[in-house]
Amino acid sequence: MASAELSSRVPPVVSRPRRDSTASWPLIDRIGYWLCWASGIGLCVVAAAIVLFMLVKGISYLKPSLFFESPAPSLHQSQAGGFLDPIVGTFIVTAIGILIAAPAGVALAAWMSEYGRPSWLARGLESAIETIAGIPSIVLAIFGLLIFSQGFLGFLSQRANDGTVTGQSFVVAGIVMSLLALPLVFGATREALSQLPGRMREASFALGKTRATTIRRVLLPSIRPGIASGVVLGMGRIIGDTAIIVILLGATLKNEPQGSVPLLNTLRGTGSTLTTYVYGDSPAGEGNAPQKAYAAAFMLLMIVLALNALVTRLTSGRREAASPAMRLAARMPWSR
Amino acid sequence: MPPPVRRIAVDREPYIAPRPAGNGAARAALAPRPFTARPPAAQVRERMSIESVWLAYGDNWVVRDVSLPVRQGEVLALIGASGSGKTTLLRSLNRLTEITDGAARSGRISLDDQEIHELEVNELRRRVSMVFQQPNPFPMSIFDNVAYALAERPGRGGRRRRRTPELEHAVADSLNRAGLYAEVGDDLERSALRLSGGQQQRLCIARALAAGPEVLLLDEPCSALDPISTATIEELIVGLRESVAIVIVTHNLQQAFRVADHVAFMHLGELVEYGTSTQVFDRPTQQRTRDYIGGAFG
């Protein structure tokens, strides 16, 4: 049937959904309402400004050669090399950190949510994780230095000629970084486990499966997207941290291997990541190569935005992750 | 300690159903159906026995002094109002009550004359499997759902078994017994969550059968399903009683009448009446059974 013909038979429309007019609201509500609008727009402007500014500044200084050259301290920006080493450094630290944090976080969350006995231990673990999540990373870094400069842990970093242990290396930085990522992996896994219906566990028990088999074969595979988003959030946290790199990796511009065993010498050596590279090259640091700093900061921003997009993708379809703002709020310390 | 036992007097006087007048509608719905005419199973033998069982959650005794036989070749239906303890009794048969804190039992439940508490719990649950009210397939493929139940024996860990022809055959066989293979056989890699509710429930039955159980417990298996799926599953239940002993909890009296050989009516944790389904529905000896069946409460 033609739609024109159909609409001619419909009596006049008397009601359509209409946006609330605020005219009838009390003044205080109207002020509050417009303040919400204003701050919402303001925040969007700030976010857009950051991305646009970094885009403009970053792209104009970004050259392919930057990715293949090591930093070379120089008075002239044009001779200061690229950020190959910091990119490799970021990759190494993130890999070490997440390789420790992911299995540990998932295992702790599974124990907590599926066993949780004795309850004093479960309560203790919960406060421990909350505490670690709340500790500023600089404090973690200083604590890490205290621990890893002990003589018997010298094999993880380097020993100076007089026998003192520096406590600075990729391994050490990665280990301490894992503490940053752990609460995020733990939180995401536990949240996902708590949302699984109890009848899924019952179904498995009723087939004569043990709790451990149920966790490994049914529960954890079911929450893969949740675990993955926790892991990606944790990686973002590690990539973005500066304090631990400055203190536990030495923040030397170039990666400086120690010893002659390949790979191992790099892991025991010092180096830098994109964050410390940005700091070092910015006018605040000693490098005085702001163009390189902008380019590296742009890289950093892109990596973190890509990771966030990945989280959105992994969690899409789950209601609570529908909006970017809610996801952001879930990352904040107070929501844990 | 359980509170003192109040025995239920059993009067043997036959109950003559009132003619249509009062609760006629309920009676008409229970009128004989083709199912009642079905012959008894060739072999009937007792597999489980429940003897003076008391069950509690905390201080609350929800099942009081119940004794029942569970026989292979028969379907036993537990009927009764909400809160009558029938689901708790059912769950105690494979010790699934134990995953709830504070659950306690007294009395004896035995499987082939062995107290179930002396059996290893996962071994028991493989022998006494269960299907739940809500279809609860795992979020994996149809094949994996069934293969998971088949997979491991204790001691060999939970490793994913290699996909051998034997495994594939066993999965297909279980699906076939649950009457599902004809519908899904062409694509077993499909996610189980994409099946319809009735198919999901039959998948759960297939999964439960794959474990090779001797007793199958069904907790209101059709309450979330439409009438056509319900009819399919009821037919399946009746067909299965030869090979496994079946206990079904149901709120649906017609269903109990259609599928069960014996019916146990429970009220507030007590077993009020037990008998063959024709006996309980047509000539109940207890006033409370008459009231419940007639729709006076429930």
Side-chain angles (χ1 to χ4, degrees), chain B residues 88-282:
Chain B
T88 305
L89 179 63
L90 188 78
R91 289 167 68 93
S92 72
L93 296 185
N94 68 355
R95 292 172 58 189
L96 213 53
T97 39
E98 290 175 10
I99 62 174
T100 311
D101 284 336
R105 162 166 77 88
S106 78
R108 181 180 159 87
I109 300 178
S110 54
L111 172 62
D112 290 341
D113 285 330
Q114 194 176 10
E115 163 63 45
I116 60 170
H117 206 79
E118 290 158 12
L119 290 164
E120 199 273 321
V121 66
N122 294 312
E123 171 67 21
L124 171 72
R125 287 177 188 160
R126 273 192 295 275
R127 295 174 65 185
V128 184
S129 199
M130 183 157 178
V131 173
F132 297 82
Q133 183 171 7
Q134 290 285 331
N136 50 6
F138 302 126
M140 40 177 107
S141 73
I142 297 172
F143 186 92
D144 287 345
N145 260 280
V146 181
Y148 174 68
L150 278 167
E152 312 102 11
R153 290 277 172 264
R156 288 186 27 196
R159 264 171 289 115
R160 194 176 286 266
R161 209 161 72 168
R162 278 232 314 286
R163 196 158 168 172
T164 57
E166 292 84 56
L167 180 63
E168 289 186 1
H169 184 263
V171 168
D173 183 54
S174 299
L175 288 169
N176 205 23
R177 284 177 80 193
L180 194 60
Y181 192 77
E183 290 165 49
V184 302
D186 52 339
D187 186 9
L188 295 181
E189 294 310 313
R190 218 176 344 153
S191 165
L193 300 181
R194 305 183 68 172
L195 297 173
S196 74
Q199 288 175 327
Q200 288 190 3
Q201 194 62 300
R202 275 182 287 151
L203 176 62
C204 293
I205 295 177
R207 196 172 63 186
L209 291 175
E214 294 151 40
V215 181
L216 185 61
L217 310 175
L218 303 155
D219 184 7
E220 298 181 44
C222 302
S223 65
L225 305 181
D226 65 277
I228 294 173
S229 307
T230 302
T232 318
I233 288 181
E234 285 177 4
E235 220 168 289
L236 174 65
I237 292 169
V238 173
L240 284 171
R241 70 191 170 136
E242 297 274 358
S243 49
V244 285
I246 295 178
V247 186
I248 179 172
V249 161
T250 179
H251 268 131
N252 183 329
L253 296 178
Q254 287 96 321
Q255 182 172 64
F257 189 63
R258 286 191 298 260
V259 303
D261 301 281
H262 277 83
V263 173
F265 170 59
M266 291 180 67
H267 185 58
L268 298 177
E270 288 172 354
L271 177 64
V272 178
E273 185 152 1
Y274 169 75
T276 64
S277 59
T278 28
Q279 187 189 325
V280 171
F281 284 112
D282 290 343

Side-chain angles (χ1 to χ4, degrees), chain A residues 101-114 129 181-196 201 215 219-233 315 318 320:
Chain A
V106 170
L108 289 175
W111 176 81
M112 179 101 162
S113 135
E114 302 303 315
I129 299 235
L182 185 83
L184 293 166
V185 178
F186 175 87
T189 308
R190 194 175 159 211
E191 173 68 20
L193 279 174
S194 73
Q195 288 190 354
L196 287 181
R201 300 174 177 90
I215 292 173
L219 303 184
L220 292 184
S222 310
I223 58 162
R224 249 180 258 141
I227 296 175
S229 67
V231 166
V232 174
L233 284 175
T315 53
R318 289 203 303 159
E320 80 276 20

Side-chain angles (χ1 to χ4, degrees), chain A residues 6-175:
Chain A
L6 188 67
S7 59
S8 70
R9 284 169 45 202
V10 176
V13 170
V14 292
S15 159
R16 280 189 198 281
R18 212 174 354 169
R19 197 119 58 91
D20 261 0
S21 159
T22 54
S24 61
W25 293 14
L27 182 63
I28 184 93
D29 288 357
R30 261 189 287 171
I31 292 174
Y33 183 66
W34 291 115
L35 276 179
C36 291
W37 261 84
S39 49
I41 289 172
L43 199 63
C44 289
V45 168
V46 171
I50 294 173
V51 173
L52 275 177
F53 182 76
M54 292 315 302
L55 200 71
V56 171
K57 283 281 195 185
I59 283 186
S60 61
Y61 299 130
L62 203 59
K63 287 181 299 188
S65 64
L66 287 178
F67 292 93
F68 306 110
E69 286 172 20
S70 291
S74 163
L75 286 177
H76 295 286
Q77 277 198 69
S78 55
Q79 290 155 15
F83 44 65
L84 174 67
D85 289 27
I87 284 190
V88 171
T90 298
F91 180 78
I92 296 175
V93 169
T94 309
I96 297 175
I98 212 68
L99 281 178
I100 299 172
V106 170
L108 289 175
W111 176 81
M112 179 101 162
S113 135
E114 302 303 315
Y115 294 92
R117 297 278 187 287
S119 55
W120 59 263
L121 188 57
R123 278 200 305 274
L125 173 66
E126 186 160 22
S127 357
I129 299 235
E130 271 169 20
T131 309
I132 288 176
I135 294 176
S137 64
I138 188 97
V139 177
L140 284 179
I142 288 291
F143 174 74
L145 194 64
L146 192 72
I147 299 295
F148 289 103
S149 56
Q150 303 293 317
F152 69 99
L153 289 171
F155 67 96
L156 291 173
S157 55
Q158 309 127 43
R159 227 176 263 277
N161 290 334
D162 61 350
T164 55
V165 171
T166 58
Q168 292 184 329
S169 76
F170 275 109
V171 182
V172 167
I175 291 172

